[in-house]
Amino acid sequence: MSRLAAEKIEPQATVYRLAPKFKYVGIACVLLFSVFGGWSVYVAYFNVDGSFSRPILAATISGVFWSCWVLLGCWLIAYDIRYRLFVSIDSLKQQGILFNKTIALRTVDQATWRRFPGRGSVRLSGADGKISVDLGNFRPEAREKLITFLRTELPEGKQVGWSKFRQQFADTSQRRAKAKRVTSLLLVFFALHSVFFLALWCLNYGNEYLMFAAINAAMVGYMYSKARRRNADQPEAEQVSK
């Protein structure tokens, strides 16, 4: 059963879950780098082509290197499973892998709308501490719902940087056209690199070029699926409300 971006857990609260990109990237990292790492360790340890003067050392270094990338994938999967943002009429609770943070809305002294990273973020600070929420971590509909809630529930005088935030992320036709052009260029870039590295592998320049070709091909698939999701979720009007 597919997960909802934001679902009711009780009458007074809503829980926001991460967009599936973290899960997909994490799974891809674990699978891809496990294969590359296993193959690299095998080739180095058994010195298949006779090019390693110290096979055990080479296998160890290779294993440690690729294991770091596998662990990164595991972290992303754990982050996707664990992360929750609980939003109620009087508080926000952020649940992470290693920590939880809660802030009461009535104690918020300042809400700072920031234009970084990616799709922007908001930082709430007050007597209970600080909470930073990366708005790009959620699906578009959940992101807009959260923005609308905070804009409505927090006093205007306590909100900083909203005008610049709204101006940067207003979903105009010009911005959509620019995003499509950038995506198209990236698709061509990764596709050409994938073909180039595959050709080098076919010409026996080294097995590592097959890995590079696979990585670029994976990026092509990711960018294409991301573009399709963006087109499917594309609204007709501005997404960021005044």
Side-chain angles (χ1 to χ4, degrees):
M1 180 180 295
S2 61
R3 300 185 316 184
L4 296 177
E7 57 184 2
K8 292 289 184 180
I9 55 173
E10 55 181 85
Q12 295 80 20
T14 300
V15 56
Y16 290 83
R17 308 181 76 168
L18 296 174
K21 61 183 179 181
F22 292 93
K23 175 178 62 179
Y24 296 150
V25 173
I27 292 174
C29 284
V30 171
L31 295 178
L32 196 62
F33 295 127
S34 293
V35 172
F36 292 156
W39 175 253
S40 298
V41 170
Y42 171 81
V43 170
Y45 184 80
F46 291 100
N47 203 7
V48 175
D49 57 0
S51 61
F52 297 98
S53 58
R54 303 177 66 181
I56 295 179
L57 177 61
T60 301
I61 294 175
S62 180
V64 171
F65 174 78
W66 290 111
S67 294
C68 291
W69 291 101
V70 173
L71 289 175
L72 173 62
C74 293
W75 178 269
L76 290 175
I77 295 173
Y79 187 53
D80 174 78
I81 294 173
R82 175 68 178 169
Y83 184 89
R84 300 288 188 278
L85 180 65
F86 299 94
V87 179
S88 66
I89 197 66
D90 55 6
S91 67
L92 265 74
K93 177 183 177 182
Q94 195 174 56
Q95 174 183 291
I97 297 178
L98 302 177
F99 60 86
N100 297 329
K101 292 183 178 180
T102 303
I103 188 169
L105 294 183
R106 67 177 183 277
T107 68
V108 172
D109 297 324
Q110 182 172 292
T112 305
W113 297 94
R114 302 183 294 186
R115 293 173 289 173
F116 60 88
R119 293 292 293 168
S121 62
V122 59
R123 183 180 64 186
L124 307 180
S125 57
D128 292 340
K130 298 179 180 179
I131 285 184
S132 294
V133 180
D134 186 347
L135 298 169
N137 286 349
F138 308 105
R139 288 183 180 272
E141 64 273 15
R143 177 180 182 272
E144 300 311 318
K145 183 178 179 180
L146 181 57
I147 290 174
T148 301
F149 172 82
L150 293 175
R151 283 288 296 164
T152 302
E153 297 300 325
L154 296 174
E156 182 72 27
K158 294 184 178 181
Q159 300 188 43
V160 178
W162 170 252
S163 297
K164 292 182 178 179
F165 179 91
R166 182 186 62 189
Q167 181 179 4
Q168 176 159 334
F169 296 111
D171 190 31
T172 62
S173 58
Q174 293 87 351
R175 193 176 299 278
R176 291 196 296 270
K178 181 179 179 180
K180 289 182 179 180
R181 288 196 299 269
V182 172
T183 300
S184 298
L185 289 174
L186 288 174
L187 280 171
V188 173
F189 174 83
F190 287 117
L192 290 177
H193 275 72
S194 181
V195 173
F196 175 72
F197 288 130
L198 184 61
L200 291 179
W201 175 73
C202 292
L203 294 173
N204 295 320
Y205 276 89
N207 290 328
E208 64 272 16
Y209 291 107
L210 179 60
M211 175 187 68
F212 297 151
I215 292 175
N216 280 271
M219 288 302 301
V220 170
Y222 171 74
M223 295 297 299
Y224 179 72
S225 63
K226 184 177 180 180
R228 290 194 62 181
R229 289 197 302 271
R230 183 190 297 120
N231 292 335
D233 295 331
Q234 197 70 65
E236 295 296 331
E238 290 189 356
Q239 292 184 0
V240 180
S241 61
K242 298 181 181 180

